[in-house]
Structure formats: C-alpha cells, structure tokens
Amino acid sequence: MTLLIVGGSGFLGAELVRQAVAAGHRTAATYATGRPPGSTPAVVWHALDLRDPERAEAVVAEVAPRAVVNASSGGADWAVTAEGPVRLARAAAACGSRLVHVSSDAVFSGASGLPYDESCPPDPLTPYGAAKAAAETGVRLVHPGAVVARTSLIIGDGQSGQSGHERVVHELAAGTRTGALFTDDVRCPVHVTDLAAALLELASGDATGMHHLGGAEALSRHELGVLIARRDGLDHSRLPTGLRADSSLPGALDVRLDSRATQRGLRTRLRGAHQFLSSGA
C-alpha cells in the first residue's frame, strides 16, 4: 500500500512514518519548513504548506496514495488547522485516496461532565478547538468517506522520544519553567506508538466517519505528570499543582474520550497511562 503521511516531520507523524516503513508500505511524507528531516530511501519527502491549495493537490497527485493520514499540527492558525485539512481532503477525494484526519479532544468543552463518544457534537472553548472542529466539518463535507480520528494528550518514551507534554514535566521539575499541572483538567492520554498503529489500521481498512482514539484511562494533567516524572527518575514532589478553574487560561476541564466503540473494531490496544508509563512497559 502506498501511504502519504502529512506532517511526517512532527512527533506523531514521525512515528507514523516509522511504522509504515516497518510494515513494508511504500511511504511518502511531508514537512512544512526547512529541509527534509530524513534521507532514507525508504521515505520520499515532499515540502507542503497546507495553506497552498495547488501544492496540496500537486503532492497528492504525484504520490497517488491509497491512503493519506493527516497528522499535521498548526496550533490555532486557522489557515493551517481549519482550512488546510479541507484542501487536503478535497485533493484526496479527487485522487480517489482514503483519508484519515487526526483531530483532538479540544473540540469539546468538558461541560457535560460525562465521557464524550463519537456522537457528541463539538462545543470548543479555545481558538485551537474551534479550528479543529471546523476542520472536522469541512473534511467530512468534501470527502464523505474520510475517517476523522479524535485523540487526546500524546505521550512518548522520555528523552529519546519526548512529546510537548513530557517536556513541560521535565522543565517544571527542573525549575526552568513557571506554571502548574492542573488537578481538575482531565484527559485520556495515549501512547504515540498505540495511536500511530491505530491510525494506520484505520487507513488500511474500510472504516469511515468519526472515531475516538483516547487511552483507556482518564487522569488529570498532574496525575499524568507524576507518572512521567517517576518513569524518568524526576522528583515529582517538585511539580507545582493548580486548578484550571482558578486560572485565566482558557480550556476545558474534564474531557474524557469514550473510545470503546472504536476500540472494539481495532486489533491495536489503546493502553492507559499507568500501563504505558510503568517501569519496563
């Protein structure tokens, strides 16, 4: 199978590329700025700015993939995060390619106090969440056969493969960063290897529509930070705590993705944080 990984130079994208190559897929990947991040002949790299509709069409047409996985990240930049995926979806549909678009639990406010399953409508609180929600709607409109896969906090393996969440824990423990890990901000963290495997499984199958790919366990950002610190030999007592409800930072409080419906159709197991952050996991 020929795969195109959009955002292949990012944290999740790099793991998607690694697993795709290991599985024997013909793999192409994109990067937004600078030089190609790798020189292995197993991966063909393409420069792609998702704000450029002609370039998106050209890359998809040149690769002619069976499936496209969009793991790009543009933060709250509306042109990249909201509009870019729709351009990509239009190009994939025109080429007859499957599309798996990675979205986020940031599309939810947490106001319900209940787990969010795939049927729950978005109600974002932040510009990033609003951009992600808009992308979901646009992608499904122009590519009705696409998969939209919402996920949560993505965690790696420490120093050799750190996510942004892990870096924050290290910096807070070292005293090189100000701030706090909220005890009332609850998510369903997922390991990057589990998430990438699940996305590739969705890409190679015939699923369509909305899917949730959160980890099997809900815990607060502080609880997650303590697990990361213990795994990495840091003093977790140095991690400052706080309440998001008492802060000026916008964002949801309790967003638990209910991934059970999606999990039932997958071979890949989406582990909980205590499992993948325990010693030797």
PDB file of all heavy atoms in Angstrom, residues 166-191:
ATOM      1  N   GLU A 166       5.559  15.892  27.843  1.00  0.00           N
ATOM      2  CA  GLU A 166       6.685  15.372  28.625  1.00  0.00           C
ATOM      3  C   GLU A 166       7.733  16.457  28.876  1.00  0.00           C
ATOM      4  O   GLU A 166       8.317  16.541  29.963  1.00  0.00           O
ATOM      5  CB  GLU A 166       7.305  14.179  27.906  1.00  0.00           C
ATOM      6  CG  GLU A 166       6.398  12.959  27.862  1.00  0.00           C
ATOM      7  CD  GLU A 166       6.888  11.921  26.885  1.00  0.00           C
ATOM      8  OE1 GLU A 166       6.650  12.078  25.660  1.00  0.00           O
ATOM      9  OE2 GLU A 166       7.510  10.950  27.326  1.00  0.00           O
ATOM     10  N   ARG A 167       7.983  17.287  27.880  1.00  0.00           N
ATOM     11  CA  ARG A 167       8.954  18.381  28.057  1.00  0.00           C
ATOM     12  C   ARG A 167       8.510  19.332  29.159  1.00  0.00           C
ATOM     13  O   ARG A 167       9.332  19.809  29.955  1.00  0.00           O
ATOM     14  CB  ARG A 167       9.156  19.132  26.749  1.00  0.00           C
ATOM     15  CG  ARG A 167      10.019  18.382  25.739  1.00  0.00           C
ATOM     16  CD  ARG A 167      10.480  19.295  24.619  1.00  0.00           C
ATOM     17  NE  ARG A 167       9.351  19.810  23.844  1.00  0.00           N
ATOM     18  CZ  ARG A 167       8.801  19.173  22.812  1.00  0.00           C
ATOM     19  NH1 ARG A 167       9.266  17.984  22.462  1.00  0.00           N
ATOM     20  NH2 ARG A 167       7.798  19.705  22.147  1.00  0.00           N
ATOM     21  N   VAL A 168       7.206  19.629  29.202  1.00  0.00           N
ATOM     22  CA  VAL A 168       6.691  20.514  30.248  1.00  0.00           C
ATOM     23  C   VAL A 168       6.978  19.926  31.630  1.00  0.00           C
ATOM     24  O   VAL A 168       7.420  20.631  32.546  1.00  0.00           O
ATOM     25  CB  VAL A 168       5.176  20.747  30.071  1.00  0.00           C
ATOM     26  CG1 VAL A 168       4.575  21.395  31.321  1.00  0.00           C
ATOM     27  CG2 VAL A 168       4.916  21.620  28.852  1.00  0.00           C
ATOM     28  N   VAL A 169       6.751  18.634  31.803  1.00  0.00           N
ATOM     29  CA  VAL A 169       7.002  17.982  33.089  1.00  0.00           C
ATOM     30  C   VAL A 169       8.472  18.103  33.457  1.00  0.00           C
ATOM     31  O   VAL A 169       8.825  18.434  34.606  1.00  0.00           O
ATOM     32  CB  VAL A 169       6.567  16.507  33.050  1.00  0.00           C
ATOM     33  CG1 VAL A 169       7.023  15.768  34.302  1.00  0.00           C
ATOM     34  CG2 VAL A 169       5.051  16.408  32.901  1.00  0.00           C
ATOM     35  N   HIS A 170       9.365  17.840  32.519  1.00  0.00           N
ATOM     36  CA  HIS A 170      10.806  17.926  32.780  1.00  0.00           C
ATOM     37  C   HIS A 170      11.201  19.347  33.167  1.00  0.00           C
ATOM     38  O   HIS A 170      11.998  19.550  34.110  1.00  0.00           O
ATOM     39  CB  HIS A 170      11.592  17.459  31.561  1.00  0.00           C
ATOM     40  CG  HIS A 170      11.729  15.972  31.466  1.00  0.00           C
ATOM     41  ND1 HIS A 170      12.937  15.322  31.552  1.00  0.00           N
ATOM     42  CD2 HIS A 170      10.804  14.995  31.307  1.00  0.00           C
ATOM     43  CE1 HIS A 170      12.762  14.016  31.446  1.00  0.00           C
ATOM     44  NE2 HIS A 170      11.462  13.791  31.294  1.00  0.00           N
ATOM     45  N   GLU A 171      10.660  20.339  32.472  1.00  0.00           N
ATOM     46  CA  GLU A 171      11.025  21.732  32.747  1.00  0.00           C
ATOM     47  C   GLU A 171      10.474  22.196  34.085  1.00  0.00           C
ATOM     48  O   GLU A 171      11.150  22.918  34.833  1.00  0.00           O
ATOM     49  CB  GLU A 171      10.528  22.620  31.602  1.00  0.00           C
ATOM     50  CG  GLU A 171      11.296  22.393  30.309  1.00  0.00           C
ATOM     51  CD  GLU A 171      10.604  22.989  29.091  1.00  0.00           C
ATOM     52  OE1 GLU A 171       9.560  23.665  29.271  1.00  0.00           O
ATOM     53  OE2 GLU A 171      11.091  22.788  27.967  1.00  0.00           O
ATOM     54  N   LEU A 172       9.253  21.779  34.413  1.00  0.00           N
ATOM     55  CA  LEU A 172       8.692  22.140  35.715  1.00  0.00           C
ATOM     56  C   LEU A 172       9.484  21.492  36.845  1.00  0.00           C
ATOM     57  O   LEU A 172       9.770  22.131  37.869  1.00  0.00           O
ATOM     58  CB  LEU A 172       7.224  21.719  35.789  1.00  0.00           C
ATOM     59  CG  LEU A 172       6.232  22.554  34.978  1.00  0.00           C
ATOM     60  CD1 LEU A 172       4.858  21.886  34.998  1.00  0.00           C
ATOM     61  CD2 LEU A 172       6.130  23.976  35.509  1.00  0.00           C
ATOM     62  N   ALA A 173       9.857  20.228  36.687  1.00  0.00           N
ATOM     63  CA  ALA A 173      10.615  19.531  37.722  1.00  0.00           C
ATOM     64  C   ALA A 173      12.000  20.145  37.909  1.00  0.00           C
ATOM     65  O   ALA A 173      12.545  20.155  39.022  1.00  0.00           O
ATOM     66  CB  ALA A 173      10.741  18.049  37.380  1.00  0.00           C
ATOM     67  N   ALA A 174      12.555  20.670  36.816  1.00  0.00           N
ATOM     68  CA  ALA A 174      13.884  21.280  36.882  1.00  0.00           C
ATOM     69  C   ALA A 174      13.835  22.729  37.334  1.00  0.00           C
ATOM     70  O   ALA A 174      14.884  23.340  37.588  1.00  0.00           O
ATOM     71  CB  ALA A 174      14.563  21.198  35.511  1.00  0.00           C
ATOM     72  N   GLY A 175      12.646  23.295  37.407  1.00  0.00           N
ATOM     73  CA  GLY A 175      12.522  24.690  37.807  1.00  0.00           C
ATOM     74  C   GLY A 175      12.861  25.671  36.712  1.00  0.00           C
ATOM     75  O   GLY A 175      13.058  26.862  36.978  1.00  0.00           O
ATOM     76  N   THR A 176      12.919  25.214  35.456  1.00  0.00           N
ATOM     77  CA  THR A 176      13.241  26.101  34.342  1.00  0.00           C
ATOM     78  C   THR A 176      11.992  26.627  33.645  1.00  0.00           C
ATOM     79  O   THR A 176      12.085  27.327  32.638  1.00  0.00           O
ATOM     80  CB  THR A 176      14.110  25.366  33.305  1.00  0.00           C
ATOM     81  OG1 THR A 176      13.408  24.201  32.832  1.00  0.00           O
ATOM     82  CG2 THR A 176      15.435  24.934  33.926  1.00  0.00           C
ATOM     83  N   ARG A 177      10.832  26.290  34.184  1.00  0.00           N
ATOM     84  CA  ARG A 177       9.572  26.730  33.606  1.00  0.00           C
ATOM     85  C   ARG A 177       8.638  27.103  34.746  1.00  0.00           C
ATOM     86  O   ARG A 177       8.603  26.449  35.780  1.00  0.00           O
ATOM     87  CB  ARG A 177       8.963  25.604  32.765  1.00  0.00           C
ATOM     88  CG  ARG A 177       7.659  25.943  32.075  1.00  0.00           C
ATOM     89  CD  ARG A 177       7.043  24.695  31.438  1.00  0.00           C
ATOM     90  NE  ARG A 177       5.868  25.000  30.655  1.00  0.00           N
ATOM     91  CZ  ARG A 177       5.861  25.103  29.343  1.00  0.00           C
ATOM     92  NH1 ARG A 177       6.962  24.880  28.647  1.00  0.00           N
ATOM     93  NH2 ARG A 177       4.748  25.399  28.682  1.00  0.00           N
ATOM     94  N   THR A 178       7.850  28.162  34.540  1.00  0.00           N
ATOM     95  CA  THR A 178       6.828  28.522  35.511  1.00  0.00           C
ATOM     96  C   THR A 178       5.497  27.923  35.082  1.00  0.00           C
ATOM     97  O   THR A 178       5.310  27.556  33.916  1.00  0.00           O
ATOM     98  CB  THR A 178       6.690  30.045  35.626  1.00  0.00           C
ATOM     99  OG1 THR A 178       6.330  30.585  34.340  1.00  0.00           O
ATOM    100  CG2 THR A 178       7.991  30.676  36.100  1.00  0.00           C
ATOM    101  N   GLY A 179       4.582  27.839  36.019  1.00  0.00           N
ATOM    102  CA  GLY A 179       3.273  27.291  35.698  1.00  0.00           C
ATOM    103  C   GLY A 179       2.908  26.179  36.661  1.00  0.00           C
ATOM    104  O   GLY A 179       3.545  25.991  37.704  1.00  0.00           O
ATOM    105  N   ALA A 180       1.861  25.440  36.297  1.00  0.00           N
ATOM    106  CA  ALA A 180       1.379  24.374  37.168  1.00  0.00           C
ATOM    107  C   ALA A 180       0.732  23.288  36.328  1.00  0.00           C
ATOM    108  O   ALA A 180       0.316  23.521  35.186  1.00  0.00           O
ATOM    109  CB  ALA A 180       0.372  24.927  38.176  1.00  0.00           C
ATOM    110  N   LEU A 181       0.651  22.104  36.894  1.00  0.00           N
ATOM    111  CA  LEU A 181      -0.085  20.999  36.291  1.00  0.00           C
ATOM    112  C   LEU A 181      -1.441  20.926  36.994  1.00  0.00           C
ATOM    113  O   LEU A 181      -1.510  20.690  38.202  1.00  0.00           O
ATOM    114  CB  LEU A 181       0.684  19.688  36.452  1.00  0.00           C
ATOM    115  CG  LEU A 181       2.014  19.611  35.704  1.00  0.00           C
ATOM    116  CD1 LEU A 181       2.728  18.300  36.029  1.00  0.00           C
ATOM    117  CD2 LEU A 181       1.803  19.743  34.198  1.00  0.00           C
ATOM    118  N   PHE A 182      -2.483  21.136  36.235  1.00  0.00           N
ATOM    119  CA  PHE A 182      -3.820  21.252  36.824  1.00  0.00           C
ATOM    120  C   PHE A 182      -4.332  19.903  37.315  1.00  0.00           C
ATOM    121  O   PHE A 182      -4.196  18.877  36.644  1.00  0.00           O
ATOM    122  CB  PHE A 182      -4.798  21.832  35.808  1.00  0.00           C
ATOM    123  CG  PHE A 182      -4.475  23.232  35.381  1.00  0.00           C
ATOM    124  CD1 PHE A 182      -4.415  23.572  34.042  1.00  0.00           C
ATOM    125  CD2 PHE A 182      -4.223  24.215  36.321  1.00  0.00           C
ATOM    126  CE1 PHE A 182      -4.121  24.860  33.639  1.00  0.00           C
ATOM    127  CE2 PHE A 182      -3.925  25.518  35.943  1.00  0.00           C
ATOM    128  CZ  PHE A 182      -3.867  25.835  34.594  1.00  0.00           C
ATOM    129  N   THR A 183      -4.963  19.942  38.476  1.00  0.00           N
ATOM    130  CA  THR A 183      -5.546  18.727  39.043  1.00  0.00           C
ATOM    131  C   THR A 183      -6.999  18.542  38.635  1.00  0.00           C
ATOM    132  O   THR A 183      -7.582  17.479  38.894  1.00  0.00           O
ATOM    133  CB  THR A 183      -5.462  18.759  40.579  1.00  0.00           C
ATOM    134  OG1 THR A 183      -6.135  19.937  41.071  1.00  0.00           O
ATOM    135  CG2 THR A 183      -4.011  18.778  41.039  1.00  0.00           C
ATOM    136  N   ASP A 184      -7.599  19.568  38.019  1.00  0.00           N
ATOM    137  CA  ASP A 184      -9.000  19.478  37.592  1.00  0.00           C
ATOM    138  C   ASP A 184      -9.141  19.387  36.077  1.00  0.00           C
ATOM    139  O   ASP A 184     -10.248  19.452  35.549  1.00  0.00           O
ATOM    140  CB  ASP A 184      -9.795  20.676  38.118  1.00  0.00           C
ATOM    141  CG  ASP A 184      -9.251  22.017  37.628  1.00  0.00           C
ATOM    142  OD1 ASP A 184      -8.112  22.041  37.094  1.00  0.00           O
ATOM    143  OD2 ASP A 184      -9.958  23.032  37.773  1.00  0.00           O
ATOM    144  N   ASP A 185      -8.031  19.229  35.378  1.00  0.00           N
ATOM    145  CA  ASP A 185      -8.008  19.141  33.916  1.00  0.00           C
ATOM    146  C   ASP A 185      -7.762  17.675  33.564  1.00  0.00           C
ATOM    147  O   ASP A 185      -6.649  17.168  33.690  1.00  0.00           O
ATOM    148  CB  ASP A 185      -6.897  20.041  33.381  1.00  0.00           C
ATOM    149  CG  ASP A 185      -6.847  20.113  31.864  1.00  0.00           C
ATOM    150  OD1 ASP A 185      -7.278  19.150  31.194  1.00  0.00           O
ATOM    151  OD2 ASP A 185      -6.369  21.131  31.338  1.00  0.00           O
ATOM    152  N   VAL A 186      -8.810  16.983  33.144  1.00  0.00           N
ATOM    153  CA  VAL A 186      -8.767  15.526  32.971  1.00  0.00           C
ATOM    154  C   VAL A 186      -8.813  15.163  31.498  1.00  0.00           C
ATOM    155  O   VAL A 186      -9.615  15.698  30.733  1.00  0.00           O
ATOM    156  CB  VAL A 186      -9.938  14.856  33.722  1.00  0.00           C
ATOM    157  CG1 VAL A 186      -9.936  13.342  33.494  1.00  0.00           C
ATOM    158  CG2 VAL A 186      -9.871  15.177  35.207  1.00  0.00           C
ATOM    159  N   ARG A 187      -7.942  14.248  31.105  1.00  0.00           N
ATOM    160  CA  ARG A 187      -7.873  13.784  29.721  1.00  0.00           C
ATOM    161  C   ARG A 187      -7.639  12.267  29.703  1.00  0.00           C
ATOM    162  O   ARG A 187      -7.467  11.642  30.749  1.00  0.00           O
ATOM    163  CB  ARG A 187      -6.729  14.485  28.965  1.00  0.00           C
ATOM    164  CG  ARG A 187      -6.896  15.993  28.808  1.00  0.00           C
ATOM    165  CD  ARG A 187      -8.074  16.350  27.923  1.00  0.00           C
ATOM    166  NE  ARG A 187      -8.125  17.770  27.642  1.00  0.00           N
ATOM    167  CZ  ARG A 187      -8.734  18.669  28.419  1.00  0.00           C
ATOM    168  NH1 ARG A 187      -9.306  18.269  29.548  1.00  0.00           N
ATOM    169  NH2 ARG A 187      -8.765  19.935  28.093  1.00  0.00           N
ATOM    170  N   CYS A 188      -7.565  11.707  28.497  1.00  0.00           N
ATOM    171  CA  CYS A 188      -7.299  10.277  28.305  1.00  0.00           C
ATOM    172  C   CYS A 188      -6.018  10.127  27.481  1.00  0.00           C
ATOM    173  O   CYS A 188      -6.071   9.903  26.265  1.00  0.00           O
ATOM    174  CB  CYS A 188      -8.465   9.594  27.610  1.00  0.00           C
ATOM    175  SG  CYS A 188      -9.972   9.517  28.595  1.00  0.00           S
ATOM    176  N   PRO A 189      -4.839  10.274  28.102  1.00  0.00           N
ATOM    177  CA  PRO A 189      -3.575  10.243  27.364  1.00  0.00           C
ATOM    178  C   PRO A 189      -3.398   8.931  26.607  1.00  0.00           C
ATOM    179  O   PRO A 189      -3.824   7.864  27.058  1.00  0.00           O
ATOM    180  CB  PRO A 189      -2.512  10.388  28.460  1.00  0.00           C
ATOM    181  CG  PRO A 189      -3.244  10.878  29.657  1.00  0.00           C
ATOM    182  CD  PRO A 189      -4.635  10.412  29.543  1.00  0.00           C
ATOM    183  N   VAL A 190      -2.700   9.026  25.488  1.00  0.00           N
ATOM    184  CA  VAL A 190      -2.468   7.857  24.636  1.00  0.00           C
ATOM    185  C   VAL A 190      -1.001   7.813  24.268  1.00  0.00           C
ATOM    186  O   VAL A 190      -0.354   8.859  24.109  1.00  0.00           O
ATOM    187  CB  VAL A 190      -3.369   7.918  23.381  1.00  0.00           C
ATOM    188  CG1 VAL A 190      -3.032   9.117  22.501  1.00  0.00           C
ATOM    189  CG2 VAL A 190      -3.327   6.627  22.588  1.00  0.00           C
ATOM    190  N   HIS A 191      -0.446   6.605  24.156  1.00  0.00           N
ATOM    191  CA  HIS A 191       0.952   6.488  23.764  1.00  0.00           C
ATOM    192  C   HIS A 191       1.073   6.642  22.254  1.00  0.00           C
ATOM    193  O   HIS A 191       0.236   6.141  21.494  1.00  0.00           O
ATOM    194  CB  HIS A 191       1.538   5.142  24.196  1.00  0.00           C
ATOM    195  CG  HIS A 191       3.027   5.129  24.177  1.00  0.00           C
ATOM    196  ND1 HIS A 191       3.764   4.860  23.039  1.00  0.00           N
ATOM    197  CD2 HIS A 191       3.936   5.392  25.151  1.00  0.00           C
ATOM    198  CE1 HIS A 191       5.047   4.943  23.322  1.00  0.00           C
ATOM    199  NE2 HIS A 191       5.186   5.267  24.593  1.00  0.00           N
TER     200      HIS A 191
END
